[in-house]
Amino acid sequence: WPTRQFTFLCSVAEVNAVNSRACGRKANTDPQLTFRRNLAVEMMENKIGINLPRPPSPVATRSKRKVVGHEKRKRPIHTGAWDNAKGTWKTTKT
């Protein structure tokens, strides 16, 4: 029984992988035998555990922007929104 159960679980995993890949690519699914053959070839030619040279990662640089003459201010109490045309705060009716 353990062999049959393992085979069943592997088959379920294969079907899920085929359907997920097809759904992600928005394409039709591959025939099951074609998928199994390609999977077997990829598993035999597996490169896990082999130290291959990797290209160096690009260095991320941060740009520092300095705004000259900027001053953070809060709007006065009991004022409305900013009026772009006048360059002042709108007054509210109280």
Side-chain angles (χ1 to χ4, degrees), residues 6-23:
F6 181 71
T7 304
F8 172 76
L9 292 174
C10 286
S11 298
V12 170
E14 278 182 336
V15 170
N16 288 341
V18 171
N19 291 333
S20 296
R21 186 177 67 174
C23 181

Side-chain angles (χ1 to χ4, degrees), residues 6 14 29 31 49 53 61 69 75-76 80 89 92:
F6 181 71
E14 278 182 336
T29 58
T61 58
R75 67 183 174 114
W89 296 102
T92 57

Side-chain angles (χ1 to χ4, degrees), residues 7 12 17 19 21 24 28 36 41 43 47 49 51 53 56-57 62 64 66 75-77 86 90 92-93:
T7 304
V12 170
N19 291 333
R21 186 177 67 174
N28 295 330
R36 283 184 174 193
V41 168
M43 289 175 73
K47 302 289 186 206
N51 294 329
S57 299
R62 292 184 181 181
K64 293 182 180 180
K66 293 184 179 181
R75 67 183 174 114
I77 300 175
K86 294 180 182 177
K90 294 180 181 177
T92 57
K93 297 177 184 176

Side-chain angles (χ1 to χ4, degrees), residues 18-52:
V18 171
N19 291 333
S20 296
R21 186 177 67 174
C23 181
R25 292 180 179 178
K26 296 181 182 174
N28 295 330
T29 58
D30 291 338
Q32 194 69 24
L33 291 176
T34 305
F35 177 77
R36 283 184 174 193
R37 187 177 301 117
N38 293 339
L39 180 63
V41 168
E42 288 178 13
M43 289 175 73
M44 287 188 295
E45 296 173 354
N46 192 354
K47 302 289 186 206
I48 293 178
I50 299 173
N51 294 329
L52 299 174

